[in-house]
Amino acid sequence: MNPKALPIYEIEAALVAQLRAQPRAIVTAPTGSGKSTQVPQMLLDHGLLGDGQAVILQPRRLATRLLAARVARERGGPLGGEVGYQIRFDDVSSRATRLRFVTEGLLLRQMLTNPRLDGLAALIFDEFHERHLYGDITLARALQIQQTVRPDLLILVMSATLEAAPLERYLAPCALLAAAGRMFPVHTAYLAEPVDFEREPVWAVAAREWERLVSDGAAGDTLIFMPGAYEISRTVQALRESPFARGWIVLPLHGELSPTDQDAAVAQYAQRKAIIATNVAETSLTIDGVQLVLDSGLARIPRFDPYRGINTLLVERISRAAADQRAGRAGRTAPGVCLRLWTEPEHRARPAQELPEIRRLDLAEAVLTLKASGVVDIAAFPWLENPDPKSVRRAETLLRDLGALDEHDGAITPLGRRMLAFPMHPRYARMLLAAQTFGCVRAACLAAALTQGRNLLVRRAGKDAQGDRDDFLGEESASDFFILMRAWSYADRNGYNLDKCRRLGIHAQAARQVQPLFEHFLRIAREQGLTPEERAAPDEAIQKCLLVGFADQLAVRLDGGTLRCRVVHGRRGEIARDSVARNRPLIVAAEVHEIEGRDRELNVLLSLVTAVEEAWLRELYPDDFSERVQVIYDHEDQRVVAETQRLFRDLPLATRRGGRPPADAAAALLAAEVLKGALKLPGWNAEVEQWLLRINFLAAFRPDLALPAIGDADRRRLVEQCCLGAFSQKDLRDQPVRPVIRSWLTPAQQALVEKYAPERLALPTGHRARVTYTLDGPPTVAAKIQDLYDIKGALTVAGGRVPVVLQILAPNSRPVQVTQDLAAFWRDHYPRVKQELQRKYPKHKWR
């Protein structure tokens, strides 16, 4: 097919004109329209690059290489000449390269050494709708560079399915161009009944359905989507063994294959072919001839695992949008069919879109990269979509704990720059660097691989399996990792045989998935100049290595009778009961499950545990030790005591009691217990409470007197003053209270309280009636009728401004009327009351 006939050329003239006018543009065009291969050539052929280079960013390594190869073929030159590519550890480009296809993360790292992007004329962000974290960050850095030192830099963002409006606002001013695509109709079908892939493997379901469709006359080549290399290999095997595959070429396609095998999968053949691929075939690559797509609906999706504190790559169900992308691969050259290996109701229950990586990945590696490029304030970075502030804080805390960022100013350290060279999570970069020092690189790589997937060991495997497991793997150990390493070695030696693995309660498939990850980490270690040892490393070396990688999850047992622990950063936790290191006093945990309890306290379950020694902490982190004196309230003894704590960072490793606590700290703790009602302050009685109410009454009703209201914080300070000098419940018995409370006011202010909010009011009979003040109403006076005969108006306080509420009492002191209007009582109610009371109490004086 002539590339010039591709739909993208419909917007060639408009795109060139827009980019000549201003340096930013967005291009939306369907998959198969030719944007990935043709737009870079348009820029080059129309002279928009000048003497510079266009860098085309791709989200996946395989697409990066294959797209570069296709464009090089179209231009009739060798790969690495005018057209080249660069992925991590593979650079096929030269000084002559004008169009360079690269992965997103690689360019961000290159910005560290070339902050002005000298020599680059254009950045093209392809398949931007996937919203990879490094794509977002690289676009933001490119904008910063363009707005400051490189106004001539062209920025072009392209996608097949992009919500353009937010991006258009972010890039404004920019041009927006849309190209039509040519799609043939695709019939999408579903399974009639749900399938449990745990019972019937996904490759078996795919092979069965493929045979059915081929026997029914399905045309063209086939593309089958599987989540990973293992599932692909099983599917390839199942199809090759099928009688329906006679005359077919069956090939795998995924990122771990050699370039030769990848090229073979996308090549054209005279025979029909079936390609079994991961989600690398969803976008960017157009595989000619495909008319039948079988979609497992699964992919390995990177996501932050809060239990492990790392990004994981676990098999998950894809979104509806990703499923639509996959279905579209069947309609590029002719009408096609897509069979989804799930039901239509299950499809409706899937999420519409994948979350952008900025919202689902750990940011530690990205933050470290930004710090290395001079970004001081991560929150102020011009994100396309702001990350959760908690995610940023978590990343910065971890990087400080690992020694990658300075503890005080947050700047990147030399160690952090060394860690940045490792294409992995900073936790494992730090662990591998330590492993080189301790001579346990191979073991560290295996430990890293073991944390990436599901647990190898079946929980509650049964008594027989547990007994065999203990016999083969050992029961007592200093680390759960040692048990996992032995379990994996057993599974590997036995070829991941299901029966043999089941005998020990080992997940055979999970064990199988460790091998490629182990090799991946070993390859990175060698490429960074580390030396995997041939002999088994000492246990202590591996334990130290794990300590360095997980020092932010260090914990100390609270006592020997329970599994409860103190954990760094002020957390409390409990070691998992099935941990082989559960009885060790000092441990690090590779998995931390945080659960909020009923009292909103954060409870932490620690698993994948390794025992460590305090001496190792002093050896590795000599500057992270300190001592502090802490004053605490001992609930059992009902007294305040002083504790001297030996700390590693903020974690108390040991505590000893002794010495007299500071008086002000003791007073604050005792006051808190008094306010909770746990302790009694005998001198704080009803009279004291009434004094405070009298002050607050005048503050409310006579603001002109300028008396200070007593709020909750003031009350707390008053209680603390009353507790000053006491250290226990016993001491509180003799603490003076009333003088302390009254001293809150000056003598002149105290006189105002006595005058305008008196404790008692004089009655005509000579009796002095107590005034009871309340929080939310006028004060109250209780008096017998005979004491009130000569009072015709109201009784008042606050200088006559506030009438009190009168409780009028019978001779037996029981209330017969409550009123603020005494005149109305004498007129309207007293005759009846007098008649009743005079009959009961004839000896009393009645008027």
Side-chain angles (χ1 to χ4, degrees):
M1 178 181 177
N2 179 8
K4 296 287 186 180
L6 288 166
I8 195 66
Y9 279 94
E10 296 171 3
I11 65 166
E12 179 182 16
L15 176 61
V16 171
Q18 290 286 359
L19 288 177
R20 289 194 193 281
Q22 67 96 9
R24 296 179 206 158
I26 300 170
V27 171
T28 62
T31 303
S33 61
K35 64 183 182 305
S36 300
T37 57
Q38 303 309 306
V39 167
Q41 297 184 66
M42 292 178 191
L43 271 57
L44 178 60
D45 293 340
H46 284 276
L48 289 171
L49 302 183
D51 296 330
Q53 183 184 84
V55 168
I56 305 96
L57 288 93
Q58 291 293 326
R60 295 182 179 86
R61 292 177 300 161
L62 187 147
T64 302
R65 190 184 65 79
L66 293 181
L67 285 171
R70 176 170 294 187
V71 174
R73 261 195 324 272
E74 289 181 3
R75 300 188 70 82
L79 191 58
E82 183 186 48
V83 182
Y85 72 90
Q86 190 175 5
I87 58 180
R88 191 162 280 170
F89 311 125
D90 190 8
D91 184 358
V92 183
S93 64
S94 65
R95 291 184 178 182
T97 300
R98 304 297 305 283
L99 303 179
R100 180 161 57 99
F101 290 78
V102 304
T103 47
E104 295 163 332
L106 190 65
L107 180 63
L108 184 60
R109 288 171 179 264
Q110 290 174 350
M111 286 177 170
L112 301 179
T113 55
N114 184 9
R116 287 176 43 90
L117 296 181
D118 291 325
L120 272 63
L123 292 180
I124 302 174
F125 294 80
D126 196 15
E127 304 297 353
F128 193 75
H129 69 276
E130 295 198 18
R131 292 297 308 282
H132 287 200
L133 175 59
Y134 280 117
D136 280 13
I137 295 174
T138 306
L139 178 59
R141 290 290 294 131
L143 275 176
Q144 287 182 318
I145 293 167
Q146 187 192 63
Q147 291 166 347
T148 54
V149 295
R150 288 290 311 280
D152 60 313
L153 181 67
L154 300 181
I155 297 177
L156 183 59
V157 180
M158 306 195 302
S159 175
T161 56
L162 179 68
E163 188 182 353
L167 185 61
E168 191 176 5
R169 289 192 296 269
Y170 181 68
L171 292 176
C174 75
L176 176 61
L177 299 100
R182 287 199 292 271
M183 272 287 295
F184 290 90
V186 175
H187 171 69
T188 301
Y190 298 87
L191 296 182
E193 298 291 335
V195 176
D196 181 358
F197 291 145
E198 291 292 326
R199 293 181 177 274
E200 186 176 11
V202 63
W203 53 84
V205 177
R208 183 190 71 215
E209 294 299 322
W210 179 79
E211 289 177 345
R212 179 179 63 80
L213 290 167
V214 170
S215 67
D216 287 346
D221 294 339
T222 298
L223 176 60
I224 301 177
F225 285 99
M226 285 287 156
Y230 175 68
E231 294 83 0
I232 287 175
S233 67
R234 294 302 300 264
T235 310
V236 167
Q237 180 183 350
L239 262 62
R240 286 176 177 170
E241 293 174 354
S242 169
F244 291 90
R246 291 194 186 114
W248 284 70
I249 298 174
V250 182
L251 296 168
L253 180 61
H254 56 82
E256 299 305 316
L257 292 173
S258 68
T260 302
D261 290 337
Q262 292 172 354
D263 292 341
V266 299
Q268 294 185 349
Y269 299 91
Q271 300 161 267
R272 296 174 73 182
K273 67 181 177 182
I275 301 166
I276 298 85
T278 59
N279 55 2
V280 297
E282 267 181 35
T283 55
S284 298
L285 296 173
T286 293
I287 304 174
D288 296 329
V290 171
Q291 291 179 249
L292 173 62
V293 167
L294 272 74
D295 187 1
S296 68
L298 303 173
R300 279 191 164 77
I301 296 175
R303 197 177 299 277
F304 176 65
D305 184 341
Y307 305 145
R308 306 175 192 192
I310 57 168
N311 293 325
T312 57
L313 200 62
L314 300 180
V315 174
E316 297 183 16
R317 297 184 306 164
I318 62 172
S319 66
R320 298 198 301 271
D324 290 342
Q325 283 276 358
R326 292 180 174 187
R329 313 309 284 179
R332 296 296 170 221
T333 56
V337 173
C338 172
L339 174 64
R340 292 171 173 164
L341 302 183
W342 62 95
T343 66
E344 196 163 6
E346 287 176 317
H347 183 72
R348 289 193 293 270
R350 291 182 176 229
Q353 301 272 353
E354 268 296 338
L355 282 175
E357 285 189 349
I358 191 73
R359 293 172 57 191
R360 60 180 164 87
L361 286 187
D362 174 59
L363 301 179
E365 189 174 359
V367 167
L368 189 60
T369 305
L370 288 173
K371 290 285 186 178
S373 64
V375 176
V376 177
D377 186 354
I378 301 297
F381 185 70
W383 301 95
L384 170 59
E385 182 174 344
N386 287 325
D388 183 344
K390 288 199 312 187
S391 298
V392 175
R393 288 195 298 271
R394 181 178 62 224
E396 291 181 324
T397 298
L398 172 60
L399 292 170
R400 282 186 170 93
D401 286 342
L402 294 174
L405 297 184
D406 185 85
E407 185 64 34
H408 303 291
D409 62 11
I412 190 169
T413 63
L415 176 61
R417 291 190 184 277
R418 179 72 181 95
M419 290 163 59
L420 198 58
F422 288 75
M424 59 176 63
H425 191 279
R427 186 185 299 283
Y428 296 111
R430 181 68 187 94
M431 203 162 79
L432 288 189
L433 285 171
Q436 179 72 6
T437 302
F438 300 137
C440 60
V441 172
R442 181 174 296 277
C445 290
L446 179 54
L450 287 166
T451 62
Q452 304 299 301
R454 62 193 288 195
N455 196 327
L456 265 62
L457 299 179
V458 178
R459 297 192 68 187
R460 301 182 184 91
K463 289 184 177 180
D464 292 342
Q466 186 63 52
D468 288 341
R469 183 188 292 176
D470 293 343
D471 290 341
F472 278 87
L473 307 182
E475 186 175 4
E476 294 297 326
S477 178
S479 174
D480 293 325
F481 275 100
F482 295 161
I483 301 298
L484 290 179
M485 289 173 176
R486 293 170 201 158
W488 178 79
S489 295
Y490 170 87
D492 185 58
R493 285 195 311 271
N494 288 282
Y496 310 101
N497 179 274
L498 286 174
D499 291 332
K500 290 187 177 181
C501 287
R502 192 178 294 117
R503 178 184 172 190
L504 268 62
I506 297 172
H507 285 291
Q509 187 172 346
R512 183 189 299 276
Q513 291 170 351
V514 170
Q515 178 63 39
L517 291 167
F518 183 26
E519 293 296 333
H520 172 71
F521 283 117
L522 282 172
R523 184 168 62 253
I524 291 173
R526 292 189 185 100
E527 285 161 348
Q528 290 301 319
L530 307 186
T531 309
E533 67 288 344
E534 296 301 324
R535 297 180 180 177
D539 286 356
E540 181 178 314
I542 302 171
Q543 289 169 261
K544 285 184 179 180
C545 186
L546 291 165
L547 168 60
V548 169
F550 294 95
D552 61 308
Q553 294 173 181
L554 183 74
V556 61
R557 290 269 299 282
L558 287 174
D559 55 68
T562 72
L563 298 177
R564 293 181 300 117
C565 299
R566 283 196 186 99
V567 190
V568 289
H569 302 312
R571 295 168 291 177
R572 290 292 180 103
E574 186 169 319
I575 302 175
R577 294 188 178 279
D578 58 359
S579 170
V580 296
R582 60 187 174 275
N583 294 321
R584 302 301 182 98
L586 189 63
I587 58 99
V588 289
E591 289 187 358
V592 176
H593 296 247
E594 294 184 346
I595 307 159
E596 191 173 76
R598 272 182 283 180
D599 55 359
R600 301 192 67 80
E601 182 180 353
L602 200 61
N603 300 314
V604 180
L605 181 66
L606 309 173
S607 53
L608 266 184
V609 168
T610 298
V612 297
E613 302 288 341
E614 184 177 334
W616 303 347
L617 292 173
R618 292 192 176 277
E619 172 191 336
L620 296 167
Y621 307 103
D623 298 330
D624 287 356
F625 280 83
S626 62
E627 280 197 354
R628 74 177 175 199
V629 175
Q630 189 173 31
V631 180
I632 64 168
Y633 178 72
D634 187 318
H635 292 270
E636 188 173 339
D637 291 342
Q638 291 190 311
R639 68 181 300 110
V640 176
V641 296
E643 288 185 344
T644 301
Q645 294 180 333
R646 186 171 74 254
L647 300 172
F648 173 74
R649 296 176 181 169
D650 67 345
L651 178 66
L653 298 179
T655 301
R656 69 177 188 277
R657 285 190 177 181
R660 191 176 182 85
D664 54 348
L669 288 173
L670 290 174
E673 297 301 315
V674 169
L675 291 169
K676 285 192 300 186
L679 290 180
K680 298 294 183 185
L681 185 57
W684 193 290
N685 53 24
E687 182 182 345
V688 169
E689 287 290 350
Q690 277 293 300
W691 174 255
L692 298 180
L693 288 168
R694 290 161 69 187
I695 295 171
N696 283 346
F697 166 75
L698 289 178
F701 289 96
R702 288 296 303 267
D704 56 303
L705 300 178
L707 291 174
I710 309 295
D712 290 340
D714 301 315
R715 176 182 286 267
R716 185 177 65 252
R717 284 193 289 270
L718 283 168
V719 176
E720 286 182 14
Q721 288 183 26
C722 294
C723 293
L724 194 63
F727 298 92
S728 67
Q729 169 70 84
K730 181 180 178 181
D731 296 340
L732 291 178
R733 297 172 190 165
D734 303 322
Q735 289 297 106
V737 174
R738 186 173 179 180
V740 172
I741 301 300
R742 292 183 69 89
S743 70
W744 186 260
L745 302 181
T746 65
Q749 289 173 324
Q750 293 177 36
L752 290 174
V753 174
E754 298 290 2
K755 179 179 179 181
Y756 291 104
E759 185 179 6
R760 293 178 180 272
L761 285 176
L763 301 178
T765 57
H767 291 150
R768 293 176 58 78
R770 182 180 296 278
V771 184
T772 302
Y773 295 84
T774 61
L775 282 173
D776 50 4
T780 302
V781 168
K784 293 181 179 179
I785 286 180
Q786 285 79 10
D787 290 327
L788 302 174
Y789 281 154
D790 294 325
I791 302 174
K792 303 305 180 185
L795 281 177
T796 64
V797 292
R801 296 186 186 182
V802 180
V804 302
V805 174
L806 275 168
Q807 286 187 354
I808 303 173
L809 307 179
N812 65 350
S813 297
R814 290 183 178 177
V816 294
Q817 189 75 23
V818 177
T819 184
Q820 279 185 294
D821 189 349
L822 197 56
F825 170 74
W826 295 129
R827 183 183 66 246
D828 300 330
H829 301 287
Y830 180 66
R832 177 182 53 78
V833 172
K834 174 184 175 181
Q835 188 178 5
E836 293 177 4
L837 293 179
Q838 194 171 25
R839 187 171 60 251
K840 290 183 180 180
Y841 306 101
K843 295 182 179 181
H844 285 264
K845 180 181 178 182
W846 299 101
R847 291 184 185 178

